[in-house]
Amino acid sequence: MSEEKSLNFIEEIIEEGIASGKYKTIVTRFPPEPNGYLHMGHATSICLNFGLTKKYPGYTNLRFDDTNPITEDTEYVESIKEDIKWLGFEWKNELYASDYFDELYNYAVQLINKGLAYVDDLTSEEIATYKGTPTQPGKDSPYRNRTVAENLSLFEKMKAGEFEDGSKTLRAKIDMAHTNMLMRDPLIYRIKHAHHHRTGNKWCIYPMYDFAHGQSDSIEHITHSICTLEFIPHRELYDWFIEKLEIYPSHQYEFARRNLSYTVMSKRKLLQLVNEKHVNGWDDPRMPTISGMRRRGFTASSIRKFCDTIGIAKRDNVTDFSLLEFCLREDLNNTALRAMAVLDPIKLVITNYPENATEELLSENGPDEMQGKRTVPFSKELWIEREDFLEVPIKKWFRLAPGASVRLKSAYIVTCTGFDKDAHGNITTIYCTYHPDSKSGGDHSGLTVKGTIHWVSVAHAATAEVRLYDRLFKVENPSNEEGDFKDYINPGSLQIIKAYIEPSLLSASIDKRYQFLRKGYFCVDKESTADKLVFNRTVTLKDTWGGNAKK
RNA sequence: UGGGUUAUGGUGUAAUGGUAGCACAACAGAUUUUGAUUCUGUUUGUCUAGGUUCGAAUCCUGGUAACCCAACCA
């Protein structure tokens, strides 16, 4: 019974390191930039980094990579912390790259002293020109050979605010003809007279990513600095700084970012959707953001399960959204409370049921008996789903049709005796007779039916707004299509309807999940009030009949 | 005509020279007071051409394809 799950390539590296005695414990970090909300791509990284230190001895830091004050904000810091906690992870230390600005400044001075950095006066356009192209070498800046003393003095003045934004930079002195573009004298400090969300106006020079990330890792003694594939070329620079600065040798490892079909997963694109109002904010339930998915009704455990299932590797990928839905349904099926709601109502009248009578029927709250039962009021007039009746039944039709019988869930078997139509040919009312001895739980009618449908008593029904969500994009990979990704937005991704709900749902709670029988999983939206209940459809039930109907 | 990374069913991921496995999806059947759940089964794969070997997804050689790198973003 040794069912051992195989290791991913990072776990292999860790186990080798532990086996060889390179380290006994590991330290990882999750390093978001506080300039946007976390999305499913980040969830993978969070599950990876925090998961590794759950599996192996060690801990994980949360470190905000806040080296660009122009785009960063505390609003994002708060949302990021909330999302990580909600996903079920705890960081050891809450840290900020900005905590290290003094140390980083000193590192820069060290490089200057070693003749490995210089102040450059070239404009950004000139720097780009001097840099060359991937196929052509760059050329040295005319300021490249300033003396150490001159560089020291200039850098000091940069810090003191004596120069305007963009007028000078500090660059590492490496090799302008290097095949790796990142090694062609990369910028390490730039001037930005901007207010920083944590250091205020103390600084007017800020380190670049490459001169902050690796050094921060090193200061924190991160053993495994895990990032995505596009940072592979940065690793050479990462190692170069550590070597020249003679600081703790953290190592960078890269894995392929996880993509999900029918959505986009870049902060830039998500920001566009928000700013151009294609969605209603970062936590719109259609967004692949953690906050959006939480609002939609996804559970943290289903997201963790999903991340665990898709694994990590180094090749480009697009995971089927249906796998995420599978993990969700698997979780919700066990935990969601059952209730009945009719989303597209049509009236059903039981002609032989007594006028003004009401019965309180028992119905199970879920598959687990521990979830108990609730009562549901039943009466002569019911709302049922319009799609559960067909005037002319198709093959293998289990539901209502003239002369056909179905079980009303937790109630009686009814047989259709007729229906009304309006002038446009729309069916307005369905008439049935019920079989009194077929009552759920004590059925001795001897009748058997193939179909069971849900219902809500007209006299007892409450109403709610229900928001039906569908995939945000019409195509699997919007970023790979011709033209703008926004051309592929699914215009029907949100449908708002009014539904009749059973009265027990009046006390639905925002922290619970519900299965509206046969219709899907739903949750209370944050905009819901006592006067106006609002439900979000998290996901439909799996439907193996829909396809058959077309055949 | 530079450098780097990656190629296993429709999708994701295993197999570390020895039976190509698992999950999702799809399809078929059984059970079902949710056409859900549960259970059973089926279809589909090693980028390509050579080579080494008793034996290659794995090692070697040559192709091919995809992705990344020329922000004072991270």
Side-chain angles (χ1 to χ4, degrees):
Chain A
M1 273 284 292
S2 62
E3 188 181 303
E4 217 166 279
K5 203 189 171 202
S6 54
L7 305 177
N8 64 50
F9 74 96
I10 291 179
E11 291 170 329
E12 278 177 10
I13 290 166
I14 291 172
E15 296 207 353
E16 279 164 24
I18 290 174
S20 71
K22 195 171 171 188
Y23 37 75
K24 288 191 178 66
T25 65
I26 60 166
V27 186
T28 60
R29 98 275 89 116
F30 176 64
E33 184 188 10
N35 70 344
Y37 282 67
L38 259 27
H39 54 62
M40 268 308 290
H42 296 109
T44 323
S45 174
I46 291 168
C47 290
L48 213 210
N49 278 295
F50 286 91
L52 249 17
T53 55
K54 271 190 173 173
K55 180 169 183 175
Y56 301 103
Y59 59 84
T60 302
N61 286 339
L62 168 60
R63 183 177 69 236
F64 290 96
D65 235 331
D66 55 350
T67 57
N68 186 1
I70 311 288
T71 59
E72 294 154 8
D73 196 277
T74 48
E75 174 201 347
Y76 298 118
V77 170
E78 294 311 313
S79 79
I80 288 168
K81 286 161 65 176
E82 186 189 350
D83 287 349
I84 298 171
K85 280 190 260 183
W86 178 75
L87 275 174
F89 297 104
E90 280 176 46
W91 51 88
K92 167 95 168 181
N93 304 298
E94 177 183 334
L95 302 165
Y96 296 80
S98 55
D99 294 341
Y100 311 130
F101 279 173
D102 285 294
E103 225 159 335
L104 261 16
Y105 179 83
N106 289 333
Y107 285 153
V109 170
Q110 281 179 42
L111 285 185
I112 294 172
N113 277 318
K114 289 184 177 182
L116 295 173
Y118 62 96
V119 173
D120 197 353
D121 294 2
L122 254 29
T123 64
S124 70
E125 293 77 22
E126 288 167 331
I127 288 175
T129 309
Y130 276 68
K131 193 154 236 166
T133 68
T135 52
Q136 290 184 315
K139 56 180 183 182
D140 290 358
S141 162
Y143 305 97
R144 196 172 196 261
N145 292 314
R146 293 216 251 227
T147 64
V148 168
E150 193 182 358
N151 282 321
L152 247 18
S153 156
L154 252 15
F155 188 47
E156 175 71 37
K157 286 178 181 164
M158 279 170 64
K159 181 193 179 192
E162 295 187 22
F163 305 117
E164 284 178 15
D165 286 9
S167 61
K168 284 183 169 43
T169 56
L170 184 71
R171 302 179 69 175
K173 194 171 179 178
I174 306 180
D175 178 2
M176 288 307 290
H178 205 289
T179 52
N180 181 349
M181 298 291 288
L182 263 326
M183 299 297 276
R184 320 241 262 227
D185 289 11
L187 270 58
I188 59 182
Y189 263 94
R190 77 289 216 190
I191 302 170
K192 277 182 195 285
H193 291 268
H195 182 269
H196 186 279
H197 74 114
R198 285 181 67 85
T199 60
N201 296 317
K202 177 178 176 186
W203 297 90
C204 62
I205 56 172
Y206 293 93
M208 299 286 288
Y209 166 85
D210 287 301
F211 200 66
H213 199 101
Q215 289 66 17
S216 302
D217 285 342
S218 184
I219 291 166
E220 295 171 24
H221 284 215
I222 300 298
T223 54
H224 300 263
S225 178
I226 302 166
C227 59
T228 45
L229 250 32
E230 67 268 28
F231 288 94
I232 288 177
H234 294 252
R235 189 174 65 231
E236 194 170 10
L237 222 206
Y238 183 105
D239 292 339
W240 188 88
F241 284 130
I242 283 176
E243 184 199 325
K244 301 303 178 193
L245 258 12
E246 299 175 72
I247 54 180
Y248 178 85
S250 293
H251 285 282
Q252 176 184 301
Y253 303 91
E254 311 86 8
F255 72 101
R257 74 152 31 101
R258 320 307 305 192
N259 299 295
L260 252 188
S261 60
Y262 299 102
T263 189
V264 292
M265 204 83 88
S266 92
K267 260 193 230 174
R268 205 195 90 247
K269 289 182 179 138
L270 295 175
L271 182 63
Q272 262 185 73
L273 293 175
V274 172
N275 285 345
E276 296 171 21
K277 308 242 186 280
H278 294 104
V279 296
N280 305 313
W282 284 100
D283 71 344
D284 185 299
R286 291 166 292 180
M287 290 280 273
T289 51
I290 306 296
S291 52
M293 294 174 68
R294 176 168 61 233
R295 185 172 169 192
R296 169 98 168 237
F298 278 77
T299 59
S301 72
S302 69
I303 294 175
R304 277 187 258 115
K305 175 77 187 297
F306 173 75
C307 290
D308 193 47
T309 303
I310 59 179
I312 66 153
K314 298 185 83 153
R315 67 182 99 120
D316 292 340
N317 59 85
V318 182
T319 304
D320 267 354
F321 199 84
S322 60
L323 180 58
L324 215 204
E325 293 184 328
F326 169 80
C327 295
L328 217 210
R329 291 186 182 117
E330 189 182 39
D331 190 14
L332 257 18
N333 180 49
N334 292 321
T335 55
L337 296 169
R338 310 293 133 126
M340 291 196 282
V342 175
L343 306 186
D344 183 13
I346 185 167
K347 190 177 281 184
L348 179 148
V349 177
I350 304 173
T351 50
N352 61 340
Y353 195 81
E355 209 82 40
N356 301 322
T358 296
E359 282 183 83
E360 294 291 334
L361 302 174
L362 282 173
S363 191
E364 61 277 11
N365 287 328
D368 185 347
E369 284 191 17
M370 295 292 285
Q371 288 164 304
K373 295 190 174 187
R374 68 188 187 290
T375 58
V376 188
F378 182 84
S379 65
K380 187 182 178 77
E381 296 194 347
L382 308 174
W383 295 116
I384 66 164
E385 214 70 60
R386 185 169 288 273
E387 64 175 17
D388 285 339
F389 178 82
L390 230 43
E391 185 180 348
V392 182
I394 55 174
K395 262 187 289 179
K396 289 193 178 179
W397 179 254
F398 293 173
R399 286 119 90 152
L400 268 184
S405 300
V406 292
R407 157 87 51 194
L408 295 171
K409 173 68 184 173
S410 297
Y412 299 92
I413 291 176
V414 293
T415 302
C416 178
T417 54
F419 57 88
D420 287 342
K421 264 189 187 177
D422 66 13
H424 307 287
N426 299 315
I427 294 165
T428 52
T429 310
I430 296 166
Y431 298 96
C432 287
T433 54
Y434 86 119
H435 303 270
D437 54 357
S438 67
K439 186 169 176 177
S440 188
D443 183 349
H444 27 76
S445 67
L447 297 170
T448 55
V449 291
K450 279 253 178 67
T452 299
I453 65 172
H454 61 280
W455 51 272
V456 173
S457 165
V458 170
H460 306 86
T463 58
E465 175 173 311
V466 175
R467 299 176 181 171
L468 304 174
Y469 300 103
D470 196 359
R471 43 187 57 142
L472 227 199
F473 289 90
K474 293 181 288 190
V475 296
E476 272 196 31
N477 194 346
S479 306
N480 266 13
E481 299 288 335
E482 295 273 314
D484 189 12
F485 77 99
K486 295 195 292 310
D487 296 343
Y488 300 91
I489 291 176
N490 174 10
S493 63
L494 169 60
Q495 193 194 346
I496 298 177
I497 60 167
K498 192 187 89 172
Y500 289 114
I501 59 175
E502 65 168 71
S504 76
L505 282 171
L506 248 14
S507 55
S509 127
I510 196 159
D511 53 8
K512 288 204 169 66
R513 301 294 190 282
Y514 299 87
Q515 184 197 104
F516 291 178
L517 244 50
R518 306 206 301 137
K519 297 312 294 179
Y521 295 99
F522 294 77
C523 68
V524 176
D525 187 73
K526 68 172 189 182
E527 291 175 354
S528 188
T529 63
D531 294 336
K532 185 191 170 195
L533 271 178
V534 180
F535 286 94
N536 292 320
R537 182 173 69 195
T538 307
V539 65
T540 60
L541 257 30
K542 191 176 172 188
D543 182 12
T544 48
W545 166 247
N548 283 353
K550 290 176 197 120
K551 286 179 190 171

